[in-house]
Amino acid sequence: MDGTMMAALHGELDPFPLTHPEVGDRDAYILFHNRSSAMTWLVESLPGASPGLWSMNDADQDSEADIRRGATRRLWFQVHLEGAIEDDRPLPLQPFLSCIGDVAARLGTLDLHAVQILVPLHSRIATGRPQAERHPVGALIDAAGWFGDTDPRLARRIQVTLDTGQDPAMVPAAPHIPPWIRRWKQAVFRCDPATHQDDAADALSPKLPDHLWRGPGHHRTTLEGTLCEWSVDAVGWLAALAAEAAWQNGVRTPLMLTVRAL
């Protein structure tokens, strides 16, 4: 359970026709495997292979029968995070979501409504570098430059819920998370005071399985704000920042993070 990282995309997916049958199967699992391998993010048991970030567990696309029964989910992906994270690096949520976004773009046209992400409990190892030379969100602030010239018309109001399920770790952390996020100079996510504390995951079906974390959801906090663009890639960056905010404020349990467009 501790190393499981999972994400689900909810919305509408208009699939592309299969124009090259000779290519073979084109499904979420194979495409995610191939894309994460190409980016050297996949752990592969080959001599001299890159150490990678995750090993492949599973991935799939929800069926038409699921959709007729009311499913809002369209794609889901599950990996196992390999090894510990250096204490000056964020969780690899942005590469994970970026890879997922690339797969969705191959499968069809996605109208994204929400993303739900299981953030694993993770251990950290000291880099040995002096404290003054490193910062746990330094890489994220650097990566924020990728979104620096985003068209302002792409900005979207969003709701973000962080939930530790049956573990009350979120209760003492919750008041400190919004000011912690606001302290960083970045233009990707503007965190505003939340107007209500309902769960961004309320309308999602199916939700990520409770047995993979300490679910069902119970102890949570909800944020609101503006994301510079409504894309899977930007959601990945925000998820990494929110996970870091939870970690820096004492959360040491698997976290369910839901981002929903308003």
Side-chain angles (χ1 to χ4, degrees):
M1 180 177 72
D2 289 355
T4 298
M5 189 160 63
M6 188 172 181
L9 306 186
H10 294 255
E12 302 297 333
L13 181 66
D14 184 14
F16 296 140
L18 185 59
T19 55
H20 300 286
E22 70 278 6
V23 172
D25 291 337
R26 184 184 66 176
D27 61 23
Y29 184 98
I30 291 171
L31 288 171
F32 185 87
H33 181 282
N34 292 346
R35 185 58 173 163
S36 55
S37 178
M39 300 301 290
T40 70
W41 294 330
L42 184 69
V43 175
E44 297 181 290
S45 56
L46 298 172
S50 166
L53 296 173
W54 56 70
S55 55
M56 190 78 193
N57 281 358
D58 205 356
D60 206 353
Q61 182 172 342
D62 287 82
S63 68
E64 288 299 324
D66 294 328
I67 295 169
R68 286 194 296 271
R69 286 192 292 266
T72 62
R73 189 180 66 186
R74 294 298 177 264
L75 296 164
W76 60 269
F77 304 82
Q78 182 180 328
V79 300
H80 186 271
L81 188 63
E82 295 294 329
I85 302 297
E86 291 185 345
D87 60 1
D88 63 347
R89 303 292 297 179
L91 274 170
L93 289 163
Q94 188 175 8
F96 182 46
L97 269 291
S98 178
C99 190
I100 288 171
D102 289 344
V103 171
R106 280 286 191 270
L107 289 171
T109 301
L110 176 67
D111 179 10
L112 184 66
H113 296 175
V115 181
Q116 191 167 46
I117 308 162
L118 173 62
V119 178
L121 172 66
H122 57 291
S123 57
R124 288 194 157 176
I125 57 175
T127 61
R129 291 188 285 275
Q131 181 71 32
E133 295 180 6
R134 60 183 172 83
H135 202 286
V137 291
L140 279 174
I141 300 305
D142 288 345
W146 171 253
F147 303 100
D149 59 353
T150 299
D151 187 337
R153 293 172 295 182
L154 298 178
R156 191 72 174 269
R157 292 287 299 171
I158 62 168
Q159 184 183 53
V160 184
T161 295
L162 297 86
D163 197 324
T164 53
Q166 300 304 297
D167 190 310
M170 187 52 67
V171 176
H176 305 288
I177 289 175
W180 189 93
I181 290 175
R182 294 187 194 109
R183 67 184 283 195
W184 303 108
K185 186 179 180 181
Q186 48 84 21
V188 182
F189 175 62
R190 188 185 73 227
C191 183
D192 300 328
T195 57
H196 41 73
Q197 283 292 314
D198 58 322
D199 189 353
D202 276 345
L204 304 185
S205 176
K207 296 179 176 64
L208 297 185
D210 289 338
H211 73 272
L212 294 178
W213 63 305
R214 296 177 184 176
H218 182 64
H219 296 288
R220 64 175 183 264
T221 190
T222 296
L223 314 174
E224 291 178 15
T226 301
L227 193 62
C228 67
E229 65 177 41
W230 182 235
S231 68
V232 179
D233 195 24
V235 169
W237 186 94
L238 171 59
L241 183 69
E244 191 63 41
W247 175 272
Q248 293 296 328
N249 287 286
V251 174
R252 299 291 185 271
T253 189
L255 178 71
M256 190 63 68
L257 195 152
T258 306
V259 183
R260 179 174 68 91
L262 295 175

